[in-house]
Amino acid sequence: MPNAILRAGPYASSRNRLRLLQFFSKETGIEQGKNSVNASNTNWSNADWRAFFYASYGNQVNNERTEVNSGYVGLNGASGSKESLPTVFTVEWPSVGGGADPLLGGGFFYQATESFKLKLKYKFWNGYSLIQIRIVGEQIENNHQFLAHTIAPAGGGGSFPGPNIDDEYEIELPASVLGKISINMDGEGLDAIAGTNWTLELTTA
């Protein structure tokens, strides 16, 4: 079996710039900041593959952030779904006076004895070519960064609220005892995207 390796998890959390890890048993539950340690691109025998995403915006007055949406999504194409997780994460941005700096972020941990590929599919309204998606991949066990890519699609065109961007990016993940993919999407003011949706989906390649 390509994924017959010792599981580190089933949940893990990386903290601060030193990438310190804190591990949690399944009994602790699913909370923000704790990501599933996935078996390559397949489901485990007792739980679905999952990534955690969240979306929030800031306040121009007090710098506090307000959460718009958060939750786990599964991998579209992974076999043997047991939990019926959604496979698409969608954020509908509100119109809020004084709101600023909208951010969609998230990611997942994984283990794999051989390299594999995933696709990140994304849809959103990009009116002024300011919205970017940053993907960073790290092998935690040896402090090695294997991917750092920014997707910066051209904006304009189409009818508001869109989407006018509908594309995908293929991610190759190396074998790793504990690897991590982080995804961040930002770059536009809240007033410019109010009423639009940002959508992310991870699929097998």
Side-chain angles (χ1 to χ4, degrees):
M1 292 177 59
N3 298 318
I5 56 179
L6 178 65
R7 183 168 187 176
Y11 300 106
S13 179
S14 64
R15 304 177 298 170
N16 68 42
R17 294 183 180 181
L18 296 177
R19 303 186 186 91
L20 298 177
L21 295 180
Q22 181 177 359
F23 293 98
F24 301 86
S25 70
K26 190 171 184 179
E27 286 70 29
T28 61
I30 302 169
E31 302 174 25
Q32 184 167 327
K34 298 179 180 63
N35 298 298
S36 176
V37 181
N38 298 303
S40 185
N41 57 355
T42 63
N43 295 315
W44 287 94
S45 59
N46 60 345
D48 279 2
W49 190 104
R50 64 181 70 210
F52 183 83
F53 285 108
Y54 61 90
S56 65
Y57 63 86
N59 186 296
Q60 295 175 346
V61 176
N62 57 23
N63 293 322
E64 293 182 355
R65 297 196 67 83
T66 300
E67 182 179 291
V68 180
N69 190 17
S70 66
Y72 281 91
V73 294
L75 177 65
N76 193 347
S79 61
S81 176
K82 302 162 188 66
E83 302 174 66
S84 299
L85 291 174
T87 57
V88 178
F89 184 79
T90 300
V91 182
E92 183 175 346
W93 292 107
S95 177
V96 179
D101 303 322
L103 169 69
L104 191 166
F108 59 90
F109 290 102
Y110 75 93
Q111 291 181 297
T113 56
E114 57 188 45
S115 64
F116 64 101
K117 295 179 180 180
L118 299 179
K119 287 183 180 180
L120 175 68
K121 296 185 177 182
Y122 48 90
K123 297 180 183 180
F124 60 95
W125 170 261
N126 195 19
Y128 304 100
S129 302
L130 298 176
I131 300 174
Q132 298 182 340
I133 304 172
R134 175 81 168 168
I135 306 172
V136 176
E138 300 171 297
Q139 289 178 292
I140 303 297
E141 75 276 10
N142 58 12
N143 200 27
H144 172 66
Q145 187 177 87
F146 62 84
L147 174 67
H149 184 77
T150 299
I151 302 169
S159 300
F160 187 87
N164 61 353
I165 303 297
D166 184 350
D167 209 342
E168 62 185 35
Y169 176 80
E170 188 171 88
I171 305 169
E172 183 167 359
L173 297 87
S176 180
V177 174
L178 186 60
K180 179 183 178 182
I181 289 288
S182 299
I183 301 170
N184 289 286
M185 186 173 175
D186 59 10
E188 185 61 276
L190 184 61
D191 57 344
I193 62 171
T196 71
N197 292 336
W198 289 4
T199 299
L200 293 181
E201 178 184 7
L202 289 160
T203 74
T204 55

